[in-house]
Amino acid sequence: MKAVTWQGKRDVRVDEVPDPKIQEPTDAVIRVTSSGLCGSDLHLYEVLTPFMTPGDILGHEPIGIVEEVGAEVTNLQPGDRVVVPFQISCGHCFMCSAGLQTQCETTQVTSEGMGAPLFGYTRLYGAVPGAQAEYLRVPQAQYGPMKIPEGPADDRFLYLSDVLPTAWQAVAYADVPQGGTVAVLGLGPIGDMACRIARARGAERVFGVDLVTERLTRARARGVETYDLRSFDSEKELVAAIQDETDGRGPDAVIDAVGTEAHGSAAARMVQQAAAVMPRAISGPIAERFSVDRLAALHTAIELVRRGGTISLSGVYGGMADPLPMLTLFDKQIQMRMGQANVRRWSDEIMPYLTDEDPLGVDGFATHHVPLSDAPHAYEMFQRKQDGAVKVVMRP
Ligand SMILES: NC(=O)c1ccc[n+]([C@@H]2O[C@H](COP(=O)([O-])OP(=O)(O)OC[C@H]3O[C@@H](n4cnc5c(N)ncnc54)[C@H](O)[C@@H]3O)[C@@H](O)[C@H]2O)c1
Ligand SMILES: [Zn+2]
Ligand SMILES: [Zn+2]
């Protein structure tokens, strides 16, 4: 079959690889019909290189048709249409029963000291072959895949694999009071969707921050009060501008949908590299005025949130020894919640929103649909934020 493979830093290719097969009685194999490209894939593309092996198959946002099931998968049959969570979890252990599927005790990657394995996501997360491919082996298929109705196009349900539950969890963890306010840092697919969900779930005002024109425009069109990082001289000014709108206090909650680049000791260099691939017009002025720091967005969140408010991190952080302003965190009595999204924890709550009325705008959420063979270009376009790319969906 054809699959998108990682070959090295900023080098992905479409290769011919062996078809996946059932290996365990709890496996299924699906034929992938659509597969998302995610901000998390960009971490692999550039800075998680040390944790990748050339030939690794990328991707973790699949929807498709069941081809074959193992003997213990009684809930699915060949021909069923399914969307598959980005994490692999068993559904019956202590953690899964508590709605913490990313911490599944049956599947944890204990050799690396990590939680549940993820499709297409480094050896830290089990080196599981990913979903940007024609076929996908799905372990723990007795639990993970969600059956979805025939009819609507893939995009209606595709985002149940990652974007929707991630944004949903970001909003749930942010714990915005009814009629309250929330600021969302980063308006990529996750931040954009978090804004939509926050509004749908009763936040009175949603402030969105980014530095890419198309992303700001998209959010503004859905009622988000947007702030362009490029138009402020310092982080302090940005924080002051949003605090002015909230009686000087700051929003009840801040969602960080930016994240950072995971790192070892070479963190600063890695962030510089990430800045280096952004268009000069963006990276130059920003680097001058804002700390090009792997924790930049988190520091902004800490300054911005009101006293006693909540910070919800969905952007991925990977540092092991990052200094944080503990005095401010403690004195402001800030609550922080974070983690990979527990997909099946939220999926039943999200499903009623995936209707013809389309309150979250999933049907038109993707900016680009491309064949799998265009993956190398798609990665480059998405990383450089070219051509208005916000969400790219590949069609094997
Ligand atoms: N927790 C989870 O389960 C989970 C799931 C999916 C993605 N993620 C993570 O969420 C993050 C966002 O994902 P995405 O797909 O939306 O990616 P993305 O890279 O498209 O979005 C990040 C956005 O942040 C903006 N940005 C950069 N610096 C900023 C700053 N200082 N202030 C405000 N905005 C800034 C960028 O312009 C970009 O639009 C990534 O770190 C990704 O790995 C987490
Ligand atoms: Zn993703
Ligand atoms: Zn489990």
Side-chain angles (χ1 to χ4, degrees), residues 267-351:
R269 178 174 54 80
M270 286 169 167
V271 171
Q272 300 294 351
Q273 287 169 345
V277 300
M278 292 179 90
R280 256 195 102 68
I282 297 178
S283 70
I286 287 294
E288 284 155 26
R289 283 180 278 141
F290 293 82
S291 48
V292 184
D293 176 338
R294 61 181 179 272
L295 297 179
L298 179 53
H299 283 297
T300 303
I302 293 167
E303 288 304 317
L304 179 57
V305 72
R306 75 154 160 77
R307 288 178 175 272
T310 306
I311 296 176
S312 170
L313 301 183
S314 51
V316 169
Y317 284 92
M320 293 297 277
D322 295 304
L324 281 175
M326 285 309 296
L327 175 63
T328 310
L329 282 166
F330 189 83
D331 181 62
K332 285 183 75 173
Q333 206 157 329
I334 290 170
Q335 312 179 52
M336 266 171 93
R337 304 178 75 188
M338 66 192 85
Q340 305 276 8
N342 302 295
V343 173
R344 295 302 305 270
R345 162 90 186 266
W346 311 109
S347 50
D348 290 348
E349 286 178 41
I350 298 169
M351 203 62 100

Side-chain angles (χ1 to χ4, degrees), residues 89-93 96 104-106:
S89 57
C90 77
H92 53 71
C93 71
C96 286
C104 175
E105 289 177 343
T106 307

Side-chain angles (χ1 to χ4, degrees), residues 37-43 60-61 86-87 102 121 162-163 166 169 184-192 209-212 215 229 238 256-260 278 286 290 296-297 300 313-317 339-342 382 385 389-391:
L37 175 55
C38 180
S40 299
D41 294 321
L42 294 181
H43 303 324
H60 58 263
E61 304 189 350
F86 69 92
Q87 71 235 202
T102 58
Y121 218 77
D162 182 342
V163 175
T166 297
Q169 179 169 301
V184 178
L185 306 180
L187 298 172
I190 302 300
D192 183 343
V209 182
D210 205 296
L211 56 152
V212 178
R215 296 178 180 214
L229 210 53
L238 167 75
D256 175 347
V258 179
T260 188
M278 292 179 90
I286 287 294
F290 293 82
T300 303
L313 301 183
S314 51
V316 169
Y317 284 92
Q340 305 276 8
N342 302 295
F382 181 48
K385 301 173 174 57
V390 183
K391 190 67 187 178

Side-chain angles (χ1 to χ4, degrees), residues 36 53 58 122 140 198 217 237 286 291 297 302 306 311:
T53 309
L58 298 169
T122 77
Q140 303 291 335
T217 308
E237 260 189 27
I286 287 294
S291 48
I302 293 167
R306 75 154 160 77
I311 296 176

Side-chain angles (χ1 to χ4, degrees), residues 214-256:
E214 295 90 347
R215 296 178 180 214
L216 290 158
T217 308
R218 218 164 111 107
R220 198 157 45 242
R222 296 189 70 95
V224 176
E225 301 172 46
T226 55
Y227 291 79
D228 185 342
L229 210 53
R230 293 168 297 183
S231 58
F232 293 92
D233 280 328
S234 65
E235 181 206 41
K236 232 175 161 169
E237 260 189 27
L238 167 75
V239 167
I242 299 178
Q243 285 179 337
D244 277 352
E245 294 294 320
T246 49
D247 298 327
R249 288 191 195 99
D252 297 310
V254 177
I255 292 171
D256 175 347

Side-chain angles (χ1 to χ4, degrees), residues 57-196:
I57 301 175
L58 298 169
H60 58 263
E61 304 189 350
I63 187 167
I65 307 292
V66 176
E67 283 279 309
E68 207 187 333
V69 295
E72 288 172 28
V73 181
T74 52
N75 52 317
L76 298 177
Q77 311 184 29
D80 285 345
R81 189 183 192 203
V82 291
V83 55
V84 181
F86 69 92
Q87 71 235 202
I88 297 164
S89 57
C90 77
H92 53 71
C93 71
F94 174 87
M95 290 292 172
C96 286
S97 304
L100 290 163
Q101 287 85 347
T102 58
Q103 315 302 322
C104 175
E105 289 177 343
T106 307
T107 63
Q108 277 174 11
V109 187
T110 46
S111 57
E112 301 285 347
M114 302 294 279
L118 313 179
F119 287 104
Y121 218 77
T122 77
R123 64 165 191 275
L124 289 177
Y125 285 105
V128 184
Q132 289 162 5
E134 289 179 305
Y135 294 91
L136 177 71
R137 173 184 163 238
V138 182
Q140 303 291 335
Q142 81 293 345
Y143 178 62
M146 297 165 262
K147 271 201 250 189
I148 49 165
E150 298 299 331
D154 278 357
D155 292 27
R156 176 77 58 88
F157 303 106
L158 173 68
Y159 307 114
L160 278 170
S161 57
D162 182 342
V163 175
L164 284 165
T166 297
W168 194 274
Q169 179 169 301
V171 173
Y173 281 7
D175 206 14
V176 187
Q178 277 297 317
T181 54
V182 58
V184 178
L185 306 180
L187 298 172
I190 302 300
D192 183 343
M193 188 57 79
C195 290
R196 298 176 189 208

